[in-house]
């Protein structure tokens, strides 16, 4: 290959990259390191394994017994055992829970946040979407997924016939980590019980985790996104699927197609649940 050919190939790659960027960002061009580096989600961990053998965490691992198809089988005692002995745990509704926790100062993020981002949507939603943590826009507005990634999430939901306001959208962390760094384990440990309570009160028929961190945190498994995407999980009797985080799709549009395939499966599973027409082998189906 001559230098000329090399340059032509480079030019063609650059043009393709710019076309993708134009599709995503319109007239303004954003080139960040994140757009060209290999995102974390690509790292493959060979095998799912529990994060910890700690007694409390072990209790949270996916149950052995398949309770799929009957969300009423969620064991409230089991939920209660995991909660700290704090008064918010007895909140009887989503608005009351919000009132009880939105002044939280349990971790350092309370000192840097602008707003506590409780979550938004239908308190009786059949579908709950769980992300990682608020970003700058969410921190400023006090609403989850309202930035560019959030707009893409709305489109993803609409592509499978869910209106944003019909589902409930929330995060593992309720406060923004500075500079959008990954949540720290202590922050997750302190904040995640709020999410468990939200899920207990909403009692959705199905959960969609977007991104590796949401999936790993809720399922208490140390698996890559690539592995988690391949099956339907069980969160305390509620089927749970994991797909790409919208921000990852903005960085790497090649993942839009597999994400679209994931959410088609998600919708199909939702329909099956609604029809109570469930294949008992659902875990290996996808
Ligand atoms: N990313 C998330 O994971 N959650 C938000 O609310 C916004 C961006």
């Amino acid at each position: 290959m001559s230098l000329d050919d090399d340059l032509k190939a480079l030019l063609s790659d650059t043009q393709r990259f710019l076309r993708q960027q134009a599709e995503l960002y319109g007239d303004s061009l954003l080139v960040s390191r994140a757009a060209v580096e290999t995102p974390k989600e690509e790292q493959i961990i060979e095998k799912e394994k529990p994060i910890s053998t700690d007694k409390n965490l072990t209790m949270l691992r996916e149950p052995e017994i398949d309770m799929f198809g009957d969300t009423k089988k969620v064991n409230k005692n089991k939920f209660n055992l995991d909660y700290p002995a704090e008064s918010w745990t007895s909140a009887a509704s989503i608005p009351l829970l919000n009132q009880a926790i939105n002044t939280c100062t349990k971790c350092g993020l309370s000192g840097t946040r602008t707003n506590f981002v409780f979550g938004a949507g239908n308190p009786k939603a059949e579908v709950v979407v769980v992300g990682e943590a608020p970003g700058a826009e969410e921190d400023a507005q006090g609403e989850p997924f309202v930035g560019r990634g959030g707009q893409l999430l709305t489109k993803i939901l609409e592509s499978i016939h869910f209106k944003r306001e019909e589902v409930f959208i929330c995060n593992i962390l309720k406060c923004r980590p500075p500079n959008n760094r990954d949540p720290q384990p202590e922050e997750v440990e302190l904040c995640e019980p709020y999410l468990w309570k939200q899920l207990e009160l909403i009692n959705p028929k199905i959960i969609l985790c977007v991104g590796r961190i949401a999936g790993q945190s809720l399922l208490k498994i140390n698996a890559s996104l690539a592995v988690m995407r391949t099956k339907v999980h069980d969160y305390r009797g509620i089927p749970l699927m994991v797909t790409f985080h919208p921000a990852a799709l903005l960085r790497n549009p090649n993942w839009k197609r597999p994400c679209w395939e994931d959410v088609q499966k998600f919708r199909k599973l939702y329909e099956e649940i609604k029809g109570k027409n469930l294949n008992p082998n659902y875990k290996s189906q996808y």
Side-chain angles (χ1 to χ4, degrees):
M1 232 185 170
S2 70
L3 183 61
D4 223 8
D5 288 335
D6 281 347
L7 280 174
K8 273 188 199 148
L10 181 64
L11 190 61
S12 143
D13 283 345
T14 310
Q15 278 173 334
R16 189 153 23 88
F17 174 72
L18 290 175
R19 261 199 308 273
Q20 285 176 343
Q21 298 293 303
E23 211 176 88
L24 287 165
Y25 305 119
D27 290 339
S28 55
L29 172 64
L30 293 179
V31 182
S32 68
R33 285 182 76 80
V36 290
E37 278 174 359
T38 305
K40 279 183 267 173
E41 284 85 346
E42 266 190 353
Q43 297 164 9
I44 307 283
I45 298 169
E46 289 300 320
K47 234 169 97 202
E48 288 191 17
K49 52 181 183 291
I51 283 173
S52 162
T53 51
D54 173 87
K55 199 161 106 275
N56 290 328
L57 292 185
T58 309
M59 274 179 7
L60 296 172
R61 295 219 316 270
E62 294 183 64
E64 299 294 327
I65 307 159
D66 180 3
M67 292 187 284
F68 184 71
D70 186 356
T71 50
K72 289 201 178 82
K73 280 191 187 161
V74 170
N75 182 340
K76 295 228 188 269
N77 291 332
K78 210 170 185 180
F79 271 102
N80 292 338
L81 279 172
D82 301 326
Y83 292 135
E86 292 169 1
S87 58
W88 61 265
T89 57
S90 58
S93 69
I94 283 289
L96 288 173
L97 178 64
N98 187 5
Q99 260 177 41
I101 65 175
N102 66 18
T103 50
C104 176
T105 53
K106 283 188 186 181
C107 80
L109 299 182
S110 60
T112 52
R113 73 175 177 229
T114 310
N115 281 296
F116 183 93
V117 183
F118 176 79
N122 178 1
K124 301 225 177 314
E126 292 182 333
V127 175
V128 171
V129 179
V130 180
E132 178 179 324
E137 202 57 47
E138 291 76 22
D139 178 56
Q141 297 189 33
E143 290 269 323
F145 282 101
V146 287
R148 266 203 355 259
Q151 286 158 23
L152 181 55
L153 177 63
T154 305
K155 284 190 189 154
I156 292 169
L157 289 170
E158 283 171 354
S159 79
I160 48 168
H161 315 294
F162 290 118
K163 292 196 195 91
R164 194 183 154 102
E165 55 283 8
E166 160 190 3
V167 307
F168 193 86
I169 303 178
C170 53
N171 286 301
I172 300 286
L173 293 191
K174 308 302 186 212
C175 300
R176 181 192 182 205
N179 305 316
N180 299 339
R181 63 156 169 73
D182 281 355
Q184 289 172 357
E186 318 81 75
E187 291 161 355
V188 173
E189 199 177 315
L190 291 167
C191 202
E192 208 189 5
Y194 296 151
L195 174 62
W196 302 338
K197 184 72 191 178
Q198 289 177 308
L199 291 170
E200 183 190 328
L201 288 167
I202 298 169
N203 196 16
K205 291 198 185 310
I206 190 165
I207 298 169
L208 181 66
C209 282
V210 292
R212 176 180 55 85
I213 290 184
Q216 287 180 337
S217 303
L218 214 43
L219 295 169
K220 298 291 171 245
I221 53 175
N222 187 10
S224 69
L225 181 73
V227 168
M228 285 188 289
R229 283 181 57 229
T230 59
K231 69 171 197 163
V232 179
H233 304 265
D234 187 328
Y235 171 81
R236 304 172 194 224
I238 304 172
L240 180 155
M241 289 179 69
V242 186
T243 190
F244 297 88
H245 193 287
L249 302 181
L250 290 175
R251 288 195 297 271
N252 191 342
N254 294 335
W255 288 339
K256 280 186 169 180
R257 174 82 204 185
C259 178
W260 184 80
E261 287 165 3
D262 291 348
V263 295
Q264 297 301 313
K265 289 173 187 165
F266 181 82
R267 178 74 207 195
K268 187 163 171 268
L269 184 59
Y270 167 80
E271 303 279 349
E272 280 185 35
I273 294 165
K274 293 279 283 179
K276 296 260 182 227
N277 191 11
L278 296 171
N279 182 335
N281 298 320
Y282 75 94
K283 278 190 182 176
S284 53
Q285 235 187 329
Y286 295 105

